[in-house]
C-alpha cells in the first residue's frame, strides 16, 4: 500500500515505546507518516453519540510518551495518535486494512487494555491484512539505526516471493547484506517423499538449485545487495534464531508449506515472534 502510513499499536509499556521508535524509523525509510494507536477496550461511545468518550488521562499520557519516542527517533516523520475503542486484536486487525505495515511489541502490560503478553502479537500477525512487524522486549530503550544484516527465511515459491520482496527492499535501503535461509528437514510431504527415493546429497543439490532460482530475479533487481545463502538440513526455527542473534530484522512468511489461507500462524513465525532477539517481519502473499 504505497504512501499509506505505518501504524503501530501501543499500550504504555517500554516495549511499546520501542515499537514506536522502530515504526518511526521504518516510516522514515519509506517516506510515509506514522499513526500511533491505543486500543481501549473500556472506552465506549456516549449514549446517542457516534464518537467515543474523551481519551482518559492515563491513555493520553501513554500516547504522548509514544509520540515523544517516535519523534525523538525520526523528527522528520509526521506523527498522529489516537485511542480507538475495542480490544487490541480487533482494533489492530481493522487498522491493518489501511496500511502496508502494522507494528506491535511482542508483549505489554497485559490485562484488559493494551497488548496482552505475546497473544495479541501472534493473533494480529496471523489475521492482519498487511505485513506485521513484531518488536521484541529487550528491556531498554532502543535507538536506531542498528547494525547487522537482514535475514530472510525462504520456504516454498509462493511464500518466498513476498518475503524476498520485503527483505531485499529493506536490505537495499539500509545498505546491509541479506542472509537467505532455507532448510529442508521435514518441511513438507513433497520432501519427505523425495528423500525416501533420492540420496541426501541429491536432495541437497535440488534445494540449492531451488534457492538459486527463486533468488535470481531479485538479485538482478537489487545488484548492490550482498546476498549470502544458508541452505541445508535442519530446523528452520533453530537456523533463523541463530542468525537473528546478529541481525537487525528477520523476514518470514505468515505460514509455511501446506498452509491454508485463514489458518493459524505458521509454527516457525509463531516461535520467532516469541523468541527472536531482533524484530520479526511477518509477511503474506496478498493479491494486488
Amino acid at each position: 500500500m504505497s504512501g499509506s502510513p505505518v501504524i503501530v499499536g501501543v499500550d504504555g509499556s517500554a516495549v511499546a515505546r520501542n515499537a514506536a521508535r522502530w515504526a518511526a524509523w521504518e516510516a522514515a525509510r519509506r517516506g510515509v507518516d506514522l499513526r500511533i494507536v491505543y486500543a481501549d477496550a473500556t472506552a465506549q461511545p456516549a449514549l446517542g453519540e457516534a464518537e467515543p468518550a474523551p481519551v482518559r488521562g492515563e491513555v493520553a499520557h501513554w500516547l504522548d510518551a509514544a509520540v515523544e519516542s517516535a519523534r525523538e527517533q525520526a523528527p522528520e516523520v509526521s506523527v498522529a495518535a489516537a485511542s480507538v475503542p475495542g480490544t487490541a486484536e480487533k482494533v489492530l486487525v481493522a487498522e491493518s486494512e489501511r496500511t502496508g505495515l502494522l507494528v506491535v511489541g511482542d508483549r505489554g502490560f497485559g490485562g484488559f487494555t493494551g497488548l496482552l503478553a505475546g497473544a495479541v502479537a501472534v493473533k494480529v500477525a496471523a489475521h492482519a491484512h498487511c505485513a506485521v512487524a513484531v518488536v521484541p522486549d529487550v528491556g531498554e530503550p532502543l535507538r536506531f539505526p542498528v547494525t547487522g544484516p537482514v535475514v530472510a527465511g525462504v520456504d516454498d515459491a509462493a511464500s518466498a516471493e513476498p518475503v524476498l520482496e520485503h527483505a531485499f527492499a529493506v536490505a537495499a535501503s539500509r545498505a546491509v547484506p541479506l542472509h537467505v535461509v532455507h532448510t529442508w528437514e521435514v518441511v513438507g510431504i513433497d520432501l519427505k517423499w523425495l528423500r525416501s527415493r533420492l540420496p541426501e546429497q541429491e536432495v541437497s543439490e535440488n534445494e540449492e538449485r531451488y534457492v538459486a532460482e527463486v533468488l535470481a530475479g531479485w538479485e538482478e533487481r537489487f545488484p548492490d545487495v550482498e546476498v549470502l545463502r544458508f541452505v541445508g538440513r535442519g530446523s528452520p526455527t533453530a537456523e533463523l534464531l541463530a542468525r537473528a542473534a546478529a541481525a537487525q530484522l528477520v523476514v518470514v512468511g505468515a505460514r509455511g508449506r501446506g498452509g491454508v489461507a485463514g489458518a493459524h500462524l505458521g509454527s516457525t513465525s509463531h516461535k520467532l515472534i516469541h523468541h527472536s532477539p531482533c524484530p520479526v517481519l511477518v509477511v503474506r502473499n496478498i493479491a494486488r
Side-chain angles (χ1 to χ4, degrees), residues 148-151 167 170-172 174-179 224-228 248:
V150 171
V151 174
V170 174
R174 296 180 182 170
V176 297
L178 173 60
H179 293 184
D224 294 332
V225 174
E226 178 188 2
V227 179
L228 285 76
Q248 63 174 271

Side-chain angles (χ1 to χ4, degrees), residues 108-246:
F109 282 146
F112 295 101
T113 62
L115 305 182
L116 303 181
V120 167
V122 170
K123 290 178 181 178
V124 170
H127 300 292
H129 303 281
C130 66
V132 175
V134 182
V135 178
D137 181 5
V138 295
E140 60 185 28
L142 290 177
R143 289 293 183 268
F144 304 94
V146 292
T147 58
V150 171
V151 174
V154 172
D155 198 351
D156 58 38
S159 64
E161 285 300 301
V163 167
L164 292 174
E165 178 181 7
H166 284 78
F168 267 98
V170 174
S173 66
R174 296 180 182 170
V176 297
L178 173 60
H179 293 184
V180 177
V181 174
H182 174 73
T183 62
W184 48 271
E185 176 67 11
V186 191
V187 292
I189 294 176
D190 54 336
L191 289 184
K192 291 178 184 178
W193 179 89
L194 189 61
R195 285 203 307 277
S196 69
R197 289 159 175 77
L198 295 176
E200 183 170 321
Q201 179 61 32
E202 189 169 346
V203 176
S204 179
E205 290 172 357
N206 288 340
E207 295 305 299
E208 292 272 5
R209 190 178 305 112
Y210 158 72
V211 173
E213 290 172 353
V214 297
L215 281 175
W218 293 107
E219 288 178 313
E220 291 176 4
R221 286 180 57 184
F222 296 90
D224 294 332
V225 174
E226 178 188 2
V227 179
L228 285 76
R229 305 174 190 176
F230 302 91
V231 183
R233 181 175 179 176
S235 159
T237 303
E239 187 67 23
L240 288 168
L241 283 174
R243 302 288 168 191

Side-chain angles (χ1 to χ4, degrees), residues 55-151:
V55 177
R56 294 178 290 115
E58 186 178 55
V59 175
H61 171 73
W62 291 341
L63 286 173
D64 287 344
V67 169
E68 181 180 1
S69 294
R71 287 178 173 158
E72 286 176 352
Q73 178 60 50
E76 72 276 25
V77 171
S78 176
V79 182
S83 175
V84 180
T87 63
E89 180 187 350
K90 289 183 178 179
V91 167
L92 295 176
V93 170
E95 290 282 332
S96 74
E97 296 191 60
R98 57 192 293 181
T99 183
L101 176 64
L102 182 67
V103 183
V104 296
D106 68 342
R107 56 183 53 83
F109 282 146
F112 295 101
T113 62
L115 305 182
L116 303 181
V120 167
V122 170
K123 290 178 181 178
V124 170
H127 300 292
H129 303 281
C130 66
V132 175
V134 182
V135 178
D137 181 5
V138 295
E140 60 185 28
L142 290 177
R143 289 293 183 268
F144 304 94
V146 292
T147 58
V150 171
V151 174

